[in-house]
């Protein structure tokens, strides 16, 4: 099947980063695969290998960050020890338009925490979500998370010039994914008694 073919692609060319990423997609959580010479790797180890073979591949860093639990760290083959936040920062370093990396970095930050990007910009959760929207204006999770990060009555200016508050951000999330339950839930809590909203 697919697993065996991706494993064979890695055997033929161990430096093919995309083969590691594709192989992981075929594995269930907790599952491992045997590669050449009896080497058995789990999902996390396959992503570490992908980073090793292509240290400028944003998806490898992003996927490894998604694989880690909060507070967990991973040692890369170059001896660096990185947590989720640092992996997402590496993904952004590799691709400054990686919407998912900005969004997931925002999720990983505490409410009052900031992070410095490689270009020296200091961003908090709100700015990270706005940056995710700039990179991908259809990133519904970023709209919803930005709405959640705002205080009642607060609004944010997006890159396209629009000023949106909590409710408008949730509506915007639903515009891009009408089945996103989190946006409906958060929108319901943002409304005052008797207030309605046009979707």
């Amino acid at each position: 099947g697919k697993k065996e073919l991706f494993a064979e692609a890695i055997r033929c060319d161990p430096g093919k980063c995309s083969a590691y990423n594709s192989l992981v997609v075929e594995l269930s959580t907790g599952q491992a695969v045997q590669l050449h010479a009896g080497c058995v790797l789990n999902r996390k180890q396959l992503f570490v290998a992908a980073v090793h073979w292509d240290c400028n591949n944003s998806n490898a860093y992003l996927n490894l960050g998604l694989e880690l639990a909060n507070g967990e760290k991973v040692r890369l083959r170059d001896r660096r020890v990185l947590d989720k936040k640092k992996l997402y920062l590496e993904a952004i370093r590799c691709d400054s338009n990686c919407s998912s990396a900005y969004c997931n970095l925002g999720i990983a930050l505490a409410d009052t925490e900031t992070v410095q990007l490689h270009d020296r910009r200091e961003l908090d959760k709100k700015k990270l979500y706005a940056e995710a929207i700039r990179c991908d204006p259809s990133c519904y999770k970023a709209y919803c998370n930005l709405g959640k990060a705002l205080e009642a009555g607060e609004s944010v200016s997006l890159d396209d010039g629009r000023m949106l508050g909590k409710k408008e951000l949730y509506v915007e999330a639903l515009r891009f994914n009408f089945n996103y339950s989190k946006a409906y839930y958060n929108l319901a809590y943002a409304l005052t008694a008797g207030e309605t909203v046009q979707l």
Side-chain angles (χ1 to χ4, degrees):
K2 284 186 167 190
K3 283 188 274 195
E4 293 77 15
L5 291 170
F6 287 131
E8 190 61 21
I10 291 167
R11 185 194 65 75
C12 295
D13 182 2
K16 188 153 184 68
C17 175
S18 60
Y20 292 95
N21 284 322
S22 298
L23 179 55
V24 173
V25 172
E26 299 301 319
L27 297 180
S28 304
T29 302
Q31 192 176 19
V33 65
Q34 182 171 339
L35 298 180
H36 51 67
C39 177
V40 178
L41 299 178
N42 62 26
R43 293 171 54 93
K44 195 180 314 173
Q45 292 165 328
L46 286 165
F47 283 134
V48 168
V51 167
H52 171 74
W53 290 108
D54 186 356
C55 63
N56 290 312
N57 184 305
S58 64
N59 284 331
Y61 288 105
L62 175 65
N63 290 333
L64 182 53
L66 292 170
E67 194 69 23
L68 294 184
N70 289 333
E72 185 180 3
K73 295 181 180 180
V74 64
R75 180 181 297 277
L76 301 182
R77 290 184 180 177
D78 64 6
R79 304 239 186 267
R80 290 182 296 159
V81 178
L82 303 180
D83 61 8
K84 287 174 99 61
K85 294 176 212 171
K86 289 181 181 171
L87 288 164
Y88 297 142
L89 282 169
E90 283 298 312
I92 293 166
R93 178 191 60 78
C94 296
D95 179 2
S96 61
N97 290 312
C98 184
S99 178
S100 295
Y102 289 106
C103 191
N104 283 296
L105 182 54
I107 293 167
L109 287 185
D111 288 342
T112 59
E113 189 177 4
T114 62
V115 66
Q116 187 177 61
L117 302 185
H118 289 86
D119 63 8
R120 302 273 187 231
R121 288 184 296 155
E122 194 82 19
L123 303 181
D124 61 9
K125 284 174 105 59
K126 296 173 198 172
K127 290 179 182 172
L128 286 165
Y129 296 137
E131 194 65 20
I133 293 166
R134 180 197 63 76
C135 296
D136 178 6
S138 66
C139 185
Y140 62 92
K141 289 183 180 181
Y143 286 104
C144 189
N145 291 338
L146 180 54
K148 185 84 172 140
L150 292 181
E151 300 294 328
E154 184 182 7
S155 56
V156 64
S157 176
L158 297 182
D159 202 49
D160 61 8
R162 293 180 297 158
M163 288 290 291
L164 301 178
K166 289 174 97 59
K167 293 177 246 185
E168 293 87 4
L169 287 162
Y170 297 139
V171 168
E172 199 68 10
L174 291 169
R175 187 167 76 88
F176 291 108
N177 184 346
F178 206 67
N179 294 313
Y180 193 43
S181 64
K182 187 176 177 182
Y184 285 108
Y185 181 86
N186 291 344
L187 180 57
Y189 267 101
L191 295 178
T192 58
E195 184 180 7
T196 60
V197 66
Q198 180 75 32
L199 295 180

